[in-house]
Amino acid sequence: MSDEIILIDGNSVLYRAFFALPLLSNDSGVHTNAVFGFTNMLLKILEEKDPSHILVAFDAGKTTFRHETYKEYKGGRQKTPPELSEQFPIMREMLDALGIKHYELPQYEADDIIGTISKQADQDHKRTFIYSGDKDLLQLASDYVTVGLTRKGITEIDEYVPDQIKEKMGITTDQVIDLKALMGDKSDNIPGVPGVGEKTAVKLLNQFGTLENVYENVDEVSGKKLKEKLINHKEEAFMSQQLATINRKSPIDIKVNDLSYEGYQSRDVIELFKTYGFKSLMGRIEGSDEAVEREEITFEKVETFTKDIVSPEGNYLIMEMLEDNYHIGGLLGFALVNNQGHYYIPTDVALNSNDFISWIEDENSHKVVADVKRLKVALKWKGINLQGVDFDLVLASYIANPSISYHDLPSIGQGYGFNVASYDEEVYGKGAKQSIPEEEVFSEHIVRKGIVAQKLHHSLSDELKSNEQEDLFYQLEMPLSHILADMEYKGVQVDVDRLEDMQQDLSERLDKIEEEIYELADQSFNINSPKQLGKVLFEDLGLPVIKKTKTGYSTSADVLEKLQHEHEIIEKILLYRQLGKLQSTYIEGLLKVVHDDNHKIHTRFNQVLTQTGRLSSIDPNLQNIPIRLEEGRKIRQAFIPSKEDSVIFAADYSQIELRVLAHIANDEKLIAAFKEGKDIHTQTAMDVFNVNEDEVESLMRRHAKAVNFGIVYGISDYGLSQSLGITRKEAGKFIEKYFESYPGVKAYMDDIVQQAKRDGFVETIMNRRRYLPDITSRNFNKRSFAERTAMNTPIQGSAADIIKKAMIDVMEQLNQTDIRANLLLQVHDELIFEVNKEDIEQLEALVKDAMENTVDLDVPLLVEADYGTTWYDAK
DNA sequence: TCGAACACGC
DNA sequence: GACGTACGTGTTCGAT
């Protein structure tokens, strides 16, 4: 235990939590989101700080001593929403269960209680942490007292000690009160000096130190208007100062010693968590395993595998491997669960058994697994061909709820109320401390996973059925998983010599540029460090500061481009960055993951990650190999066919998202444009700018393209303004004009948001869902984001569905021919193959046909294809 | 070990 | 009226 004291501003945190989280309620309709958020934060504090003393202070009642000074104090505040009010008593109940003291004092606010106790603690030199969402509390920071302010959500905390306050706000702790006295605070209805905002207030305090000094030397204040304002509102300023000052001598009847924290009774907490449906917090309660009575299990260790233990019906098969990367990981063991029993099968027993292998390869023997692709690829590396899997729980979990971040069996189980298996991290540890426990513990763990799998099967298949997602699951994701497994296992051939040549060339050029940069900067420094680079550019060379990040100067490419003409060092830095990126991420990164024996790369496609239904690719990411700039594009010359007589063949959908949009929105003009085979960006420019085709200038087309891009990716007017380098207003106008030109699109956008509000989710043409709880949030940002997501996801997600279906169609048709081709990669709207030179034309015809006709939309789908001796040449 | 900043693709 | 804005993966730096 640490001997730290934790003081929490209960009102502030509960408010924050309420607005930060969607309005959850438990089964009986009581709202619990704020209590959930607060409790989550408390558990985190208890876990991380392990404090000796802890107190949650609340405001008491409506009026306080401050109202005697100023009866409008906190006037004009929105009334506390009833959904929040009802959570205060629940929160107190929760605190009692957690054994955490809470306190309130009539006529005083939580701040004052905290201020008074922290003063005692400070005098006694005791480490104290204060948590609040209210910046005012910063005035309490000292050498012993740290103030933690909630950020964004509420479990993310920014901790402030006096130095950081100085750094971030430009003033000292002692000046926090005077800052507020000058600038006021709208939310508390503290007037301050009208016309003085944060900037001016900081400037004044930096010049004069204190409010009192400002007024003593008011003649020295620069600016006639400012001086007048200060003088005219002196009274308000000093009253504001009084209001903003936390009372550190409140008549409280508790002492630090009364706040000692002795832990909680797990049973009470779990009871309460159950009542309010806080399932996801359950695992963080000490001893919750016993308390929720995780069922006892029995199982048998298989010494010799025979087919009698296989059931003719469902078999739940678990394969365990510690490594994420199943291309290189080692098998640790198997578990089999079915209606006959629970079995642990050691790896050597399994792999040395012909019965086991023939069972795995028997397509008529039904198996349910978690992550079929992982299992399939791992077994392929052992020469075993997995078949007969008719349900993948991980894929099903992703379809049912794409937003959850962990689709592993114990987590999925928790979500459906099956607390049978421990999390891997609990059994194996994590990071450097990861290890495999003794066989007894290990085998029970994986058998438990099998039992969870068995329990989950029905829940998930029911859910897919009731959501009408069975086709999406059985006809799309399941078959796709097998195709991806083959792609990953076969790998992509890499020309290692070529990469090494590039590496050599690049490192020489980088050395040279590095020297030139040092020369121009008149010093050597780490160019890769934004911090050091920022100092050199903006302090030593005195270049104008365009943008700041929260830690210092921004040195991002768009900032540097604006400085191009200021100093010749800039273009060198941009080039250094560009080449450095190629060197480290692409050349060295790829060389690191090439298999030495055959010079192949085996990526992994994550099929259960993105919220839209797209795939992602890791270790390495082969979906972001450079193409835009020639220099980077050359990397693609290192991707070659695995056989001498073959070429790389690439087929990509032209404008698939915009075509999908035309279809979904049923917009006449957009549909017509695609039917007539128009260049869509030129057409958009014509419609938006009201000009003829021959009047479309390149800038107009560029703008139109950016708007189309924005529509597809769901960016805002701000995002568009950034990408075009124009103002937000202008960007807003473009979007407005776009909607006028395409009323069908506008109607769709309005409709889909309404639909999302009504249903709580949006869906793609193949019924893939994305749930959008924030669509009704009172937080403008969250709501806006959810609205843009509602508009964008059906477009991007349907496009993802289409190419996935195309992959299945292509492979099905390909398997019925003699075409010698392998599908290698999918990059969102394109498919990359390697194909025997003699079969190129056949493949092109087949692929183009399959891709263009995989679905029937109101607009044609167009596929463009090309091939060459390397990926670079297939453009 | 982790977050921030940056850069690559779609 | 301010908020702070597409999604992924990977690298490097620098604080912990």
Side-chain angles (χ1 to χ4, degrees):
Chain A
M1 188 189 291
S2 70
D3 46 4
E4 283 165 349
I5 302 168
I6 305 281
L7 302 172
I8 299 173
D9 180 345
N11 283 68
S12 167
V13 172
L14 203 63
Y15 257 89
R16 286 282 169 144
F18 181 73
F19 290 108
L21 298 172
L23 199 58
L24 313 165
S25 55
N26 76 343
D27 299 339
S28 43
V30 183
H31 295 101
T32 53
N33 62 331
V35 176
F36 179 87
F38 199 152
T39 307
N40 192 3
M41 173 184 166
L42 285 171
L43 291 177
K44 194 172 170 196
I45 292 171
L46 294 180
E47 286 157 14
E48 287 176 3
K49 304 261 187 223
D50 194 16
S52 59
H53 296 74
I54 181 164
L55 173 80
V56 174
F58 287 105
D59 299 350
K62 271 195 165 166
T63 61
T64 68
F65 67 89
R66 290 189 177 79
H67 290 88
E68 289 166 22
T69 310
Y70 182 51
K71 64 178 187 307
E72 301 302 320
Y73 178 66
K74 293 203 171 175
R77 262 207 185 180
Q78 291 253 314
K79 199 174 166 300
T80 307
E83 294 87 352
L84 173 56
S85 310
E86 70 190 30
Q87 297 189 49
F88 276 89
I90 302 174
M91 193 62 228
R92 293 196 178 89
E93 201 184 347
M94 189 64 75
L95 290 169
D96 288 335
L98 286 167
I100 294 173
K101 307 280 191 316
H102 51 96
Y103 185 76
E104 54 194 68
L105 181 66
Q107 296 298 311
Y108 289 81
E109 294 182 66
D111 304 9
D112 304 313
I113 299 168
I114 290 174
T116 307
I117 295 173
S118 71
K119 190 172 180 191
Q120 285 178 23
D122 199 28
Q123 283 164 352
D124 298 347
H125 291 188
K126 286 185 175 155
R127 288 237 136 262
T128 304
F129 279 88
I130 294 174
Y131 288 93
S132 177
D134 186 348
K135 279 205 182 94
D136 286 5
L137 281 281
L138 290 178
Q139 64 185 269
L140 303 178
S142 73
D143 289 347
Y144 294 93
V145 179
T146 303
V147 178
L149 294 183
T150 56
R151 195 176 49 182
K152 280 188 196 167
I154 60 151
T155 46
E156 281 179 68
I157 303 288
D158 285 329
E159 291 187 0
Y160 289 85
V161 296
D163 282 351
Q164 283 150 340
I165 295 173
K166 178 80 197 165
E167 201 179 299
K168 288 214 176 177
M169 305 184 60
I171 53 166
T172 66
T173 310
D174 298 330
Q175 293 172 320
V176 171
I177 298 170
D178 290 353
L179 180 76
K180 194 157 163 182
L182 284 163
M183 63 183 275
D185 181 341
K186 225 174 165 187
S187 69
D188 286 347
N189 207 26
I190 293 179
V193 178
V196 174
E198 185 173 346
K199 287 233 170 97
T200 314
V202 169
K203 207 178 81 196
L204 287 168
L205 289 174
N206 279 329
Q207 192 180 348
F208 300 103
T210 65
L211 182 68
E212 285 76 7
N213 262 331
V214 170
Y215 278 99
E216 269 171 34
N217 303 290
V218 78
D219 290 337
E220 289 170 35
V221 171
S222 58
K224 199 172 137 209
K225 279 233 163 112
L226 177 59
K227 202 182 296 176
E228 262 173 34
K229 277 186 259 177
L230 285 169
I231 293 168
N232 290 341
H233 298 94
K234 185 172 179 183
E235 211 173 302
E236 281 107 307
F238 281 94
M239 181 190 76
S240 298
Q241 186 192 38
Q242 208 182 331
L243 289 171
T245 306
I246 291 174
N247 183 330
R248 307 199 70 173
K249 290 184 204 150
S250 319
I252 55 170
D253 48 17
I254 48 169
K255 290 207 159 52
V256 171
N257 286 343
D258 300 326
L259 310 179
S260 68
Y261 179 67
E262 317 285 351
Y264 50 79
Q265 290 291 328
S266 298
R267 212 164 3 106
D268 299 344
V269 179
I270 287 162
E271 194 55 38
L272 217 51
F273 280 9
K274 274 191 188 161
T275 310
Y276 294 111
F278 294 175
K279 273 189 221 153
S280 61
L281 298 182
M282 210 64 100
R284 289 165 60 188
I285 297 304
E286 285 159 40
S288 68
D289 293 2
E290 289 84 354
V292 293
E293 285 161 24
R294 182 174 282 172
E295 63 187 84
E296 294 271 317
I297 65 153
T298 58
F299 65 94
E300 188 184 313
K301 176 176 171 182
V302 175
E303 306 285 356
T304 311
F305 183 90
T306 60
K307 287 203 173 158
D308 336 327
I309 63 170
V310 172
S311 159
E313 287 139 40
N315 292 288
Y316 299 85
L317 174 65
I318 303 297
M319 172 207 73
E320 197 73 340
M321 176 190 278
L322 273 196
E323 290 86 351
D324 281 337
N325 189 340
Y326 43 74
H327 291 297
I328 57 172
L331 301 186
L332 297 177
F334 297 85
L336 170 61
V337 167
N338 55 34
N339 53 8
Q340 299 172 31
H342 306 155
Y343 309 95
Y344 161 58
I345 312 167
T347 308
D348 54 335
V349 171
L351 299 187
N352 292 320
S353 156
N354 288 329
D355 271 9
F356 181 81
I357 292 169
S358 71
W359 170 61
I360 292 285
E361 296 191 333
D362 181 357
E363 61 182 324
N364 295 314
S365 177
H366 303 299
K367 304 164 193 89
V368 174
V369 305
D371 200 342
V372 60
K373 181 158 66 70
R374 181 181 182 79
L375 179 56
K376 186 163 176 135
V377 174
L379 289 173
K380 270 174 183 279
W381 284 105
K382 300 282 175 197
I384 301 168
N385 180 27
L386 174 67
Q387 295 204 73
V389 173
D390 36 34
F391 201 98
D392 181 343
L393 297 154
V394 167
L395 278 175
S397 166
Y398 171 68
I399 296 301
N401 192 352
S403 70
I404 64 175
S405 22
Y406 299 101
H407 296 280
D408 59 285
L409 275 177
S411 307
I412 305 169
Q414 283 292 343
Y416 285 83
F418 303 127
N419 176 26
V420 180
S422 307
Y423 294 107
D424 285 341
E425 203 176 299
E426 290 166 12
V427 178
Y428 305 117
K430 67 167 176 179
K433 282 179 281 182
Q434 195 177 51
S435 67
I436 303 162
E438 54 184 305
E439 190 179 35
E440 231 169 278
V441 176
F442 167 77
S443 53
E444 172 163 346
H445 177 55
I446 68 170
V447 169
R448 281 181 177 278
K449 287 191 184 180
I451 295 170
V452 175
Q454 187 176 34
K455 288 175 186 283
L456 275 170
H457 187 187
H458 294 110
S459 308
L460 281 165
S461 66
D462 283 354
E463 187 162 352
L464 296 180
K465 187 167 192 158
S466 64
N467 290 349
E468 295 183 325
Q469 294 179 307
E470 285 180 309
D471 281 354
L472 176 64
F473 178 73
Y474 291 107
Q475 308 302 327
L476 198 79
E477 299 294 356
M478 285 292 298
L480 179 69
S481 211
H482 288 88
I483 293 172
L484 293 172
D486 289 339
M487 293 163 65
E488 294 176 2
Y489 175 71
K490 282 193 178 134
V492 184
Q493 192 70 46
V494 168
D495 184 345
V496 171
D497 293 340
R498 176 103 216 182
L499 282 180
E500 282 170 349
D501 286 349
M502 293 182 184
Q503 183 176 35
Q504 185 61 36
D505 177 53
L506 273 179
S507 85
E508 282 164 19
R509 291 173 65 190
L510 280 164
D511 284 349
K512 195 166 152 249
I513 300 165
E514 188 182 342
E515 281 309 314
E516 290 168 0
I517 290 173
Y518 295 159
E519 185 78 19
L520 287 166
D522 209 20
Q523 61 184 301
S524 58
F525 61 101
N526 186 342
I527 308 166
N528 282 322
S529 161
K531 194 174 161 188
Q532 294 182 34
L533 179 62
K535 180 184 165 288
V536 169
L537 294 181
F538 303 110
E539 289 175 15
D540 302 344
L541 295 178
L543 295 173
V545 177
I546 310 266
K547 197 164 76 179
K548 288 196 131 192
T549 65
K550 54 185 148 181
T551 50
Y553 309 109
S554 169
T555 64
S556 63
D558 60 316
V559 168
L560 295 187
E561 272 157 26
K562 293 194 176 98
L563 296 169
Q564 286 260 20
H565 305 295
E566 301 277 344
H567 200 290
E568 55 180 320
I569 196 173
I570 301 293
E571 65 174 321
K572 306 257 181 221
I573 289 166
L574 284 166
L575 187 60
Y576 184 88
R577 280 245 180 100
Q578 191 201 331
L579 301 184
K581 173 80 177 176
L582 292 180
Q583 183 76 305
S584 65
T585 303
Y586 295 105
I587 309 273
E588 284 164 3
L590 286 174
L591 285 171
K592 246 185 266 175
V593 292
V594 174
H595 287 225
D596 293 330
D597 46 355
N598 57 6
H599 288 185
K600 281 192 168 193
I601 284 185
H602 300 271
T603 185
R604 275 135 56 221
F605 291 102
N606 196 336
Q607 201 182 345
V608 295
L609 185 129
T610 68
Q611 300 303 299
T612 53
R614 277 186 170 186
L615 301 175
S616 74
S617 156
I618 54 168
D619 273 354
N621 181 352
L622 292 182
Q623 293 182 318
N624 73 343
I625 304 300
I627 189 166
R628 241 184 60 245
L629 302 171
E630 176 57 25
E631 198 83 49
R633 193 171 192 155
K634 291 218 161 68
I635 301 282
R636 293 176 177 231
Q637 291 172 340
F639 289 83
I640 56 174
S642 62
K643 300 187 194 93
E644 290 236 337
D645 55 6
S646 297
V647 293
I648 300 291
F649 173 94
D652 69 293
Y653 278 113
S654 158
Q655 304 296 351
I656 187 167
E657 276 104 349
L658 287 174
R659 287 170 198 265
V660 166
L661 171 64
H663 171 82
I664 300 183
N666 197 19
D667 185 283
E668 274 177 46
K669 266 168 96 177
L670 214 46
I671 291 174
F674 280 120
K675 280 192 171 160
E676 290 160 25
K678 292 272 175 58
D679 173 315
I680 196 63
H681 301 315
T682 303
Q683 180 65 45
T684 304
M686 288 162 63
D687 293 335
V688 169
F689 299 109
N690 244 330
V691 295
N692 293 323
E693 187 164 353
D694 50 5
E695 294 168 332
V696 174
E697 293 159 17
S698 74
L699 183 69
M700 287 155 83
R701 188 174 180 281
R702 192 170 78 85
H703 282 182
K705 191 174 170 180
V707 174
N708 279 331
F709 180 86
I711 298 283
V712 165
Y713 286 114
I715 62 173
S716 57
D717 53 356
Y718 177 85
L720 182 62
S721 74
Q722 289 297 300
S723 66
L724 283 177
I726 58 178
T727 66
R728 221 176 91 180
K729 247 192 179 162
E730 289 167 322
K733 270 195 194 139
F734 279 138
I735 293 174
E736 211 174 286
K737 274 196 196 153
Y738 179 92
F739 283 142
E740 281 169 24
S741 305
Y742 301 107
V745 174
K746 173 82 172 105
Y748 157 74
M749 297 291 179
D750 293 343
D751 255 25
I752 195 75
V753 169
Q754 284 315 307
Q755 197 181 312
K757 285 199 171 129
R758 188 187 67 224
D759 301 336
F761 63 87
V762 291
E763 56 192 353
T764 66
I765 54 174
M766 299 192 192
N767 289 5
R768 184 189 305 282
R769 289 186 179 188
R770 181 167 184 180
Y771 293 92
L772 298 168
D774 286 348
I775 198 91
T776 54
S777 169
R778 274 147 300 214
N779 178 316
F780 175 84
N781 284 324
K782 291 193 165 180
R783 194 177 60 247
S784 306
F785 182 61
E787 287 170 358
R788 279 183 278 130
T789 308
M791 302 180 217
N792 161 253
T793 295
I795 303 172
Q796 218 192 99
S798 297
D801 290 349
I802 291 170
I803 192 162
K804 281 178 168 177
K805 177 148 187 295
M807 291 168 76
I808 295 167
D809 290 354
V810 166
M811 291 316 291
E812 237 168 49
Q813 294 176 26
L814 204 52
N815 286 334
Q816 290 168 14
T817 70
D818 295 327
I819 298 173
R820 287 156 288 177
N822 291 320
L823 180 53
L824 300 176
L825 297 173
Q826 187 251 48
V827 189
H828 307 311
D829 63 356
E830 67 176 325
L831 299 179
I832 321 292
F833 300 79
E834 58 183 2
V835 57
N836 189 291
K837 286 172 187 166
E838 293 168 8
D839 298 342
I840 295 171
E841 276 155 38
Q842 273 183 283
L843 180 73
E844 173 159 2
L846 184 151
V847 168
K848 210 163 163 339
D849 178 71
M851 288 175 76
E852 289 179 347
N853 297 306
T854 190
V855 289
D856 187 22
L857 304 183
D858 295 338
V859 288
L861 287 177
L862 181 66
V863 170
E864 290 164 351
D866 195 12
Y867 60 90
T869 51
T870 73
W871 192 4
Y872 175 90
D873 302 293
K875 53 186 170 191

